[in-house]
Amino acid sequence: MELFFPERVFFEPISLNYPLGQKLFHFFETKNVEIIKAPIQKVLHFIPGETENQKYSHAKKTLVITTKKALNLDICKPSADYRFSLVTNCPGNCEYCYLQTTQSSKPYIKIYVNIEDIFNTIIKYIYKNNNNITTFEVASSGDPLAVEHFTGSLAKTIEFFGKLENGRLRVSTKFNNIDSLLNIEHNGHTRFRFSINSKYVIDTFEHNTANFYERIEAAAKVLNVGYPLGFIVAPIMVYDNWKEQYKELFENLAQKLNPGNIKDIKDAVTFELIQHRFTTVAKNVINKRFPNNRLDMDESKRAQKWGMYGRYKYIYPPEISNEIKEYISMLIKNYFPDSIIEYYT
C-alpha cells in the first residue's frame, strides 16, 4: 500500500526540545507540506473545512508532534497487563473503529517524542509488578506502524523491550510497512498481531489500510525472522456468505504461513477473536462520518453488554455469538492445530 503522508504538521514548541522532535522537524521542512508551530490547544483552529466532515477529513491527514504528558498507564485486559502509546489515532479510516468515538473531536494523529519518559514509565510498572513478566500493548489508541516511516519509534521500542528481562511488547496493526523492523534485536519479546478479516470486511469498511494479501505477506515476513506472531480477527461480522469468506481467510493464512516454509517457530501462533459491536454514541458518529455505510447497526437485532467505560455495547445475541465462536474456533483448529485462541469477546 502507499505510505501515509500528511497535508500539514503541527509542532508543539516543547516537542522541539527532544531528539525525535528535531528529527521530524528537519525531515518535514524539506518536504512540500505545511508546517505550523503552535500550542496543541490551537490545532483545530488551523484545520481547514467548512463542514464537520470536511474538517474531519483534513484532520485525518494532520500530524501533531507533541509530548505524552499523562504517563500513568491504564490496564488493557484481555490483551495485555497495561497499555501505552507512541501515537494516538491512525491514518486508516475504518468505518466501525472505536476511535471514531473516543477521538471523534480530535481525529488528528499525535506523535509523542518523549520516548525516554515513556520507557522509564514502563520500567516502573514492571518494578511495581514485583519484576514479574509484564505485558504492554502499544497500539490500543493508535497504530504506530502507520507512521513508523517517519518516526522509527516502534523499532526503538522493540529494541528496548528486547533488552528487558521481564517486559513483553504486543503490537497490533493493519499496516504492512514492516521491512525496517525485520533486522533488529527483538529477542522474541515482541509479539506482532495483524488485524485480519474477510475480504468483504476489509474492502468495504477498512479504508486506507493494507489489503487482505498485504497483511498476510507482512505476517509471513515477521514470523520468518523469529517474532512471535498473532492475529486479531476483528470485528467478526455476520452477513451473506460470511462462513465461506472466513474459511477463505484461514485457507490463505495457512497456505502462506505453512510451518514447513517458516524457519524456527518458537512460539505458538495466537488468535484473538472479537465480534462486531457498537454503542449508540458510536452509531451516531459513524452515520455522520459515513452516511452511506453498510454496517449492520440495528439495535433490535442485538443484545446489550455493559462496557467498562460506562455505556452499553450492542453485540450479537447469544445464539449468533455462540455460532461465531464455534465456527471460527473450528477453522482455527483445522488450519492451525498448534495455535492458541487467547479469547473471544
Side-chain angles (χ1 to χ4, degrees), residues 54-293:
Q54 287 174 349
K55 287 182 176 293
Y56 172 81
S57 178
H58 286 291
K60 291 288 284 185
K61 299 171 185 175
T62 299
L63 284 183
V64 175
I65 314 303
T66 184
T67 57
K68 185 68 174 172
K69 277 81 172 178
L71 292 171
N72 293 328
L73 305 186
D74 291 329
I75 293 172
C76 191
K77 299 296 184 181
S79 172
D81 294 312
Y82 299 101
R83 63 182 181 183
F84 69 96
S85 299
L86 299 173
V87 304
T88 298
N89 226 310
C90 169
N93 219 4
C94 299
E95 296 182 14
Y96 56 76
C97 183
Y98 62 87
L99 295 179
Q100 297 285 0
T101 51
T102 59
Q103 304 294 334
S104 61
S105 64
K106 299 176 181 179
Y108 46 80
I109 302 152
K110 289 192 285 188
I111 292 175
Y112 303 116
V113 297
N114 55 330
I115 303 296
E116 297 300 329
D117 294 338
I118 295 170
F119 290 171
N120 289 334
T121 299
I122 288 165
I123 292 172
K124 290 177 183 177
Y125 274 78
I126 295 173
Y127 178 76
K128 179 181 175 182
N129 194 28
N130 297 318
N131 283 323
N132 293 315
I133 290 179
T134 310
T135 57
F136 297 83
E137 171 65 64
V138 70
S140 65
S141 299
D143 194 323
L145 191 60
V147 293
E148 178 68 6
H149 52 295
F150 302 137
T151 68
S153 294
L154 185 56
K156 189 172 182 179
T157 304
I158 291 170
E159 290 177 331
F160 167 73
F161 271 90
K163 297 173 183 176
L164 293 179
E165 183 178 353
N166 296 318
R168 299 294 183 270
L169 181 65
R170 292 167 66 82
V171 182
S172 61
T173 187
K174 292 178 181 172
F175 294 84
N176 69 322
N177 52 312
I178 46 77
D179 287 357
S180 64
L181 307 176
L182 298 180
N183 296 309
I184 60 179
E185 293 294 328
H186 59 79
N187 291 323
H189 290 185
T190 293
R191 182 176 293 274
F192 263 96
R193 296 122 67 230
F194 287 85
S195 178
I196 55 171
N197 220 307
S198 68
K199 287 181 182 176
Y200 167 76
V201 173
I202 292 175
D203 292 346
T204 307
F205 303 114
E206 299 184 358
H207 314 298
N208 302 324
T209 64
N211 67 34
F212 180 90
Y213 296 106
E214 288 170 335
R215 296 184 205 183
I216 296 174
E217 179 69 28
K221 287 182 178 181
V222 300
L223 186 60
N224 200 40
V225 296
Y227 281 101
L229 178 66
F231 294 99
I232 304 175
V233 189
I236 303 169
M237 296 186 182
V238 173
Y239 54 90
D240 290 344
N241 300 319
W242 70 276
K243 289 186 175 181
E244 291 83 353
Q245 290 216 350
Y246 281 102
K247 182 179 179 182
E248 178 190 27
L249 165 63
F250 287 100
E251 286 176 342
N252 276 271
L253 275 181
Q255 182 178 9
K256 190 66 181 179
L257 303 180
N258 184 343
N261 297 330
I262 305 293
K263 65 181 181 183
D264 194 24
I265 298 179
K266 296 179 180 178
D267 295 89
V269 174
T270 61
F271 289 90
E272 299 159 72
L273 311 181
I274 305 173
Q275 62 175 298
H276 178 240
R277 74 277 310 283
F278 62 92
T279 64
T280 300
V281 173
K283 178 180 178 179
N284 293 336
V285 172
I286 290 166
N287 283 336
K288 282 184 179 179
R289 299 274 185 256
F290 307 98
N292 298 314
N293 75 78

Side-chain angles (χ1 to χ4, degrees), residues 30-42:
T30 67
K31 307 298 180 184
N32 183 24
V33 61
E34 180 183 11
I35 293 178
I36 301 165
K37 295 180 183 179
I40 197 167
Q41 296 85 353
K42 301 288 186 180

